[in-house]
Amino acid sequence: MPNLGVNFAGNTLYLPGVYYTSNASATQPTNAPATPPLVLIGYFYGLEPLVPQTFDASQGAAPLLAAIRGGPASGLVSFITSPSPQYSGAQSVTLINASANTQSNLTLQAAGSGVIVLESTDYGLPSNLLQAEVQAGTVAGIDLTLFDGYSGTTYQGNNLGVPFQVGYLGSASGVTLAVSGTNGAATNLIITSPTAGESVNVPLGAGQYQTITQVVEYLNGTGVYQANGLSDSGGGLAASSLSIVSGVALAAAASGVASYVNVNATLLDIVYWVNQYAALVGTASVSGSAQNIPSNLPSVIPLTHFSGATSVPPTNSTYAAAFNAALNTPAWTVVADSNAPAVVALGTQHAVTASEPVNGKMRRFFSGSSVGDTVATTLSIAQAQNSSTTTYCYPGITQTNTVTGLPETYGGLYVAAAEASIATANQIALPLTNKPLTGTGVEVALTNSQLIELQNGGVSVLFSNGGVPTILSDVTTWQTDNNPSNIYNQQIACRQWTGYTLIAALRPYVGGIASSLDIVRAKNAATKSLNSLIYTEGSNGVLNSWNPTSLVLTYSGSNQTLGVTVDAVNVGQNRIITTTVNVQPLSLSAVG
């Protein structure tokens, strides 16, 4: 019997007629991309120069301070993690070390020759506080201790150099063990026995015997040999790291108890342990042409300092290199620990360049004044930037120094760090206008005429609102026109977030088949993305509205380009509220 049913919207239809369903998926908001982190560029005493590293700052300043290790930029950290008594600080912070610092190192020796080079993970003077101690292992090999005198962190590995021991359970004499290899890499572990069926040849570094653990498991499965992991390296060491040896005698078992011999990986086991388990403070490598043989086990030494680390202050060229490194790093806001004119110019250009369509990594740069700067100096610096993606803050702020317990004045540069942090951590459309900062006062009281002059000159001004340091207006340094979409930080944030969201929605269609079907799909994706940008209470929406009829997608086959245009209206801010009360004349009457 034929099946005349038709599947439609989860139903099977049999009878002739007109059936209806609706599909609202095109109007369903999409999940917006995550806001990128705040990027701090500066002079650190830790971290590899010019290599961006991102840290979770949601629980406070500790991870950032531990990474910066007392460098001059550490003073900005509290302003980033606790910028305001009412608003959160950046939850994710990327650090870029703009210095040319170097690492410290220590060479372990055997019989007076270097065999292993230990090198600090961090860069800068505190790395000279790293120490190493070598003692005899409790069973075999060495006991290596690494102690970081800056952080107070200790790492200790025991029996290093001897990843496992093996014993013979049989009764034959003349049983020997050898590890063969080529070019210093072990290829086979061979045990030779005069008793038939007891000899084994274990291929190393390929197939199933790639690690020490796998070799140990194999030997224990023979029933003839017993192997026990020994080194604190834990068995993950590559089996090809074993030291090449020959003719090692395995004694017959006495009353069923095996007599064990060491199977060495003299240098490579030590290197592996350091790099695997102590990499937060140091790394290790074999020194020069030192051979991975038992006689090269490092000599015993007391706790000995590493040396050679230097702290080299950033220059304009290293700051430039750091900003270039940040171009390849996601960022919502960027702050540098220097407000030198060249650094401010670099940061300004960085934000402009990153926000260009060819890069598509929209962001804003925040900087500010030094303690003692005048109104005239501040206006000159801000107006030289003249950019919708930069903010310049003045004057400074007073806070209680958490170390000394005394009040201290910090420049507008620190205010900039706080403003950038608020802008990164909170609702995207949240204006910086009238937001309180954590502090006890402002550096200098300004007159109303100065406040107006600075605000109109593109300076984000801090004033005392009943003793609370408060941002006057969230202006950028833009001076070219009166367009509020360029003047106010909030509007730049809304524009940039719209860009991030649309890029994320349409990127999957790059490289797709250009067809009428595909253009409809792309339009639906853009529609969903724009719907997700509509502001609702508590959301990260940035649009008040958008016009669906204005969403036009046009494909040009001549240059293989799909163009998308749409009209949208950002939310705004209540920067000024005027109140008018129309007072009516009093009219009284008495009756009776």
Side-chain angles (χ1 to χ4, degrees):
M1 177 181 293
N3 183 355
L4 302 181
V6 175
N7 292 322
F8 176 74
N11 297 267
T12 303
L13 310 177
Y14 293 99
L15 301 179
V18 177
Y19 299 87
Y20 167 80
T21 188
S22 61
N23 184 348
S25 62
T27 59
Q28 172 66 33
T30 57
N31 293 325
T35 310
L38 180 151
V39 170
L40 172 61
I41 294 171
Y43 186 15
F44 311 149
Y45 291 163
L47 300 182
E48 182 176 355
L50 307 181
V51 177
Q53 295 189 41
T54 302
F55 297 85
D56 180 2
S58 61
Q59 301 304 312
L64 302 179
L65 293 174
I68 295 173
R69 291 170 71 88
S74 60
L76 293 168
V77 170
S78 64
F79 290 87
I80 291 172
T81 56
S82 302
S84 169
Q86 294 182 17
Y87 297 93
S88 300
Q91 305 295 288
S92 182
V93 178
T94 297
L95 301 177
I96 302 179
N97 189 354
S99 76
N101 296 348
T102 60
Q103 298 162 282
S104 65
N105 59 75
L106 175 67
T107 299
L108 303 183
Q109 297 188 339
S113 297
V115 290
I116 289 179
V117 177
L118 300 174
E119 192 167 50
S120 67
T121 297
D122 282 302
Y123 293 65
L125 282 172
S127 294
N128 290 329
L129 297 175
L130 190 60
Q131 300 175 68
E133 178 185 55
V134 178
Q135 297 295 330
T138 55
V139 177
I142 66 167
D143 183 289
L144 175 62
T145 298
L146 292 177
F147 173 67
D148 180 7
Y150 180 82
S151 65
T153 304
T154 299
Y155 295 87
Q156 186 173 16
N158 195 16
N159 301 317
L160 301 179
V162 185
F164 70 99
Q165 294 180 317
V166 64
Y168 173 47
L169 300 174
S171 58
S173 60
V175 178
T176 60
L177 176 145
V179 176
S180 62
T182 57
N183 299 321
T187 57
N188 296 83
L189 184 148
I190 304 164
I191 302 178
T192 305
S193 171
T195 302
E198 289 188 349
S199 296
V200 296
N201 187 332
V202 186
L204 308 176
Q208 63 191 122
Y209 308 116
Q210 297 183 45
T211 66
I212 296 302
T213 294
Q214 291 166 338
V215 174
V216 168
E217 289 175 348
Y218 169 80
L219 293 173
N220 287 334
T222 64
V224 180
Y225 304 101
Q226 187 170 30
N228 299 314
L230 184 62
S231 166
D232 280 348
S233 59
L237 177 70
S240 60
S241 299
L242 292 177
S243 299
I244 296 173
V245 295
S246 63
V248 179
L250 294 181
S255 301
V257 178
S259 177
Y260 292 93
V261 299
N262 297 333
V263 180
N264 301 289
T266 308
L267 300 182
L268 296 182
D269 186 55
I270 300 169
V271 168
Y272 176 84
W273 177 82
V274 173
N275 294 337
Q276 188 73 16
Y277 297 102
L280 289 178
V281 297
T283 59
S285 61
V286 174
S287 177
S289 59
Q291 293 183 317
N292 182 38
I293 56 177
S295 61
N296 273 340
L297 191 70
S299 302
V300 169
I301 58 171
L303 271 175
T304 303
H305 280 93
F306 288 40
S307 62
T310 60
S311 291
V312 183
T315 63
N316 290 342
S317 61
T318 60
Y319 272 115
F323 279 112
N324 284 336
L327 279 177
N328 299 315
T329 303
W332 189 238
T333 59
V334 179
V335 178
D337 69 341
S338 169
N339 58 4
V343 176
V344 172
L346 286 168
T348 301
Q349 186 57 51
H350 167 79
V352 171
T353 301
S355 303
E356 289 175 344
V358 68
N359 292 308
K361 294 184 176 69
M362 291 74 71
R363 61 195 59 185
R364 290 162 288 160
F365 173 65
F366 287 72
S367 189
S369 59
S370 297
V371 173
D373 280 358
T374 65
V375 169
T377 297
T378 300
L379 284 168
S380 175
I381 295 172
Q383 291 171 359
Q385 294 175 69
N386 188 21
S387 171
S388 63
T389 55
T390 63
T391 299
Y392 197 79
C393 303
Y394 175 85
I397 188 171
T398 58
Q399 276 191 1
T400 300
N401 186 302
T402 56
V403 176
T404 64
L406 300 174
E408 186 169 342
T409 301
Y410 300 85
L413 180 64
Y414 294 81
V415 175
E419 291 194 18
S421 188
I422 294 172
T424 303
N426 296 277
Q427 286 176 282
I428 292 166
L430 181 74
L432 292 173
T433 299
N434 203 39
K435 299 302 179 288
L437 299 186
T438 301
T440 57
V442 296
E443 175 192 355
V444 59
L446 299 169
T447 66
N448 281 345
S449 61
Q450 288 175 319
L451 293 174
I452 294 170
E453 182 183 17
L454 286 162
Q455 178 182 260
N456 291 348
V459 176
S460 179
V461 185
L462 196 66
F463 75 105
S464 180
N465 184 6
V468 178
T470 304
I471 302 168
L472 182 66
S473 292
D474 70 342
V475 295
T476 68
T477 61
W478 183 263
Q479 293 289 294
T480 304
D481 55 39
N482 289 323
N483 188 341
S485 294
N486 294 322
I487 292 173
Y488 297 109
N489 245 302
Q490 182 219 31
Q491 292 299 297
I492 301 301
C494 291
R495 291 167 58 187
Q496 292 185 340
W497 191 243
T498 299
Y500 267 112
T501 307
L502 283 171
I503 288 171
L506 295 172
R507 184 177 287 115
Y509 296 91
V510 175
I513 297 172
S515 67
S516 298
L517 178 62
D518 194 66
I519 201 170
V520 170
R521 289 173 176 165
K523 185 175 183 180
N524 287 341
T527 298
K528 293 170 68 175
S529 178
L530 289 162
N531 286 339
S532 75
L533 289 169
I534 297 296
Y535 175 76
T536 57
E537 187 68 30
S539 76
N540 254 340
V542 296
L543 298 182
N544 185 69
S545 62
W546 69 279
N547 182 0
T549 63
S550 71
L551 179 59
V552 176
L553 280 72
T554 306
Y555 179 76
S556 171
S558 62
N559 57 12
Q560 311 253 305
T561 300
L562 177 63
V564 180
T565 60
V566 66
D567 295 339
V569 180
N570 290 337
V571 296
Q573 63 170 301
N574 296 316
R575 199 175 65 84
I576 295 175
I577 298 176
T578 63
T579 305
T580 302
V581 176
N582 296 314
V583 179
Q584 303 298 315
L586 176 65
S587 176
L588 301 173
S589 63
V591 179

